[in-house]
Amino acid sequence: MPQEFERAQAAQTAADLTEETAAAQSAPAVQETDDILDSVLDDIASVLETNAETYVNSFVQKGGE
């Protein structure tokens, strides 16, 4: 019976370490994704700053459109 308890504890410890390792490895990927999204949003903001009037006018209906 004590051996089974020790095995269960060892298995739980191994599972905990695996989860911690996976979380630590995914953090850089999340940061990279955030950086890419920030870059895209900055590009969109830049386009809207320079061409906002043209962008808005492209949605204005003319005549029978």
Side-chain angles (χ1 to χ4, degrees), residues 36-53 55:
I36 291 170
L37 288 174
D38 286 343
S39 175
V40 170
L41 291 174
D42 289 343
D43 289 345
I44 292 170
S46 174
V47 168
L48 290 177
E49 285 176 6
T50 57
N51 299 323
E53 185 177 356
Y55 179 78

Side-chain angles (χ1 to χ4, degrees), residues 13-57:
T13 301
D16 290 345
L17 290 174
T18 303
E19 289 175 8
E20 289 175 10
T21 303
Q25 290 174 347
S26 68
V30 170
Q31 181 62 39
E32 183 178 339
T33 303
D34 287 348
D35 291 343
I36 291 170
L37 288 174
D38 286 343
S39 175
V40 170
L41 291 174
D42 289 343
D43 289 345
I44 292 170
S46 174
V47 168
L48 290 177
E49 285 176 6
T50 57
N51 299 323
E53 185 177 356
T54 305
Y55 179 78
V56 171
N57 285 337

